[in-house]
Amino acid sequence: MKIIEDALKTCSNNVIEACLVILRFNLSRLVESHVNPIQLGFTRNDSSYSGSDLKSLHSNLQNIMQNQQLSRKVRFAAAEVLEVGFTLLYPSPRSRSSFLSELIRVHVDKPMDSSDANLHLLRRLLLMFSSSDGVVSLLPTSSSSTTTRSSNNEDDVVDLIRLLFEIAPRDDAAIALLRTYQRILISQVSDNRKDTASRLALINYAKCLF
């Protein structure tokens, strides 16, 4: 992570871009290997530990994305690195849907223009999650089905879907994700008829789509 921090101090587009290329390659291999980053020596990524390697990485990438002294190419490259490592930075369905909701909410409150790296990231994440596997990775897992968990995650997914509807008129990627949500949720309602709680939750998700 220090190499990114040092590169940021120089504000050199070439140096930062080279670092991002290396980082993207390594993150991609880490994601594809399905290895827990903690097993490789990364420190944990939770809110109670400010020195986390992954949290530091995320912060540095966002700093690059927002740094107007850097070229658009470099700022967009940082967004793409964040996309590649997204499942590492946000390992749970709830953390993923919450981040996506917050990014959309910012766009709804104050529409981003095409030069904004956050808009570039948002559209890439919407496309990434528009696949069947992508939508499933945003849904609560059946292994954590307590009442509190169920209620919280229902709210998260419903909130995300409502926000997607808000930007759908001006964003094809949001429409693609909504369509996949509809297909997956209806399918899961059918597959979970014996699980009353899960079935009711999925029906509530699906109602947002109609």
Side-chain angles (χ1 to χ4, degrees):
M1 308 310 161
K2 190 174 184 301
I3 189 172
I4 293 290
E5 294 173 358
D6 291 342
L8 273 171
K9 292 175 184 176
T10 71
C11 277
S12 167
N13 283 292
N14 291 336
V15 173
I16 294 175
E17 184 177 6
C19 291
L20 291 173
V21 169
I22 296 170
L23 185 56
R24 178 172 181 163
F25 175 76
N26 288 330
L27 282 176
S28 178
R29 293 192 64 182
L30 187 57
V31 170
E32 290 171 0
S33 68
H34 303 290
V35 174
N36 186 332
I38 294 176
Q39 296 176 339
L40 299 180
F42 289 92
T43 50
R44 58 188 178 173
N45 184 37
D46 61 55
S47 58
S48 65
Y49 188 63
S50 60
S52 162
D53 288 331
L54 294 179
K55 183 173 289 185
S56 175
L57 169 61
H58 186 269
S59 177
N60 285 327
L61 289 173
Q62 288 195 312
N63 287 339
I64 294 172
M65 290 167 59
Q66 295 166 8
N67 190 336
Q68 296 300 315
Q69 295 181 41
L70 299 173
S71 68
R72 170 174 168 157
K73 181 181 179 182
V74 168
R75 288 185 284 111
F76 277 36
E80 291 167 15
V81 171
L82 203 161
E83 175 209 359
V84 168
F86 191 76
T87 55
L88 295 177
L89 296 167
Y90 297 90
S92 71
R94 187 175 187 189
S95 64
R96 293 168 190 169
S97 61
S98 294
F99 179 87
L100 196 52
S101 291
E102 184 56 32
L103 200 54
I104 296 173
R105 192 173 288 108
V106 170
H107 186 37
V108 168
D109 292 342
K110 186 178 179 180
M112 305 176 216
D113 61 43
S114 59
S115 65
D116 195 322
N118 281 306
L119 180 59
H120 184 60
L121 173 63
L122 173 59
R123 287 177 171 162
R124 291 184 71 92
L125 289 177
L126 291 175
L127 290 172
M128 181 176 82
F129 287 117
S130 291
S131 67
S132 296
D133 288 343
V135 165
V136 170
S137 74
L138 291 172
L139 295 176
T141 58
S142 58
S143 61
S144 53
S145 57
T146 65
T147 301
T148 302
R149 188 283 314 163
S150 178
S151 175
N152 288 339
N153 282 288
E154 283 179 40
D155 291 343
D156 289 340
V157 176
V158 170
D159 185 44
L160 175 55
I161 293 174
R162 286 175 179 163
L163 286 166
L164 286 169
F165 268 114
E166 289 200 50
I167 64 170
R170 61 179 185 269
D171 200 309
D172 291 342
I175 294 174
L177 180 49
L178 283 168
R179 286 174 175 167
T180 308
Y181 254 123
Q182 178 174 318
R183 186 177 72 253
I184 295 299
L185 294 176
I186 291 175
S187 172
Q188 290 205 13
V189 166
S190 177
D191 292 343
N192 286 279
R193 290 179 180 175
K194 294 182 179 180
D195 185 342
T196 304
S198 178
R199 183 167 181 267
L200 289 174
L202 290 169
I203 288 173
N204 284 330
Y205 298 162
K207 281 181 179 178
C208 292
L209 302 169
F210 299 100

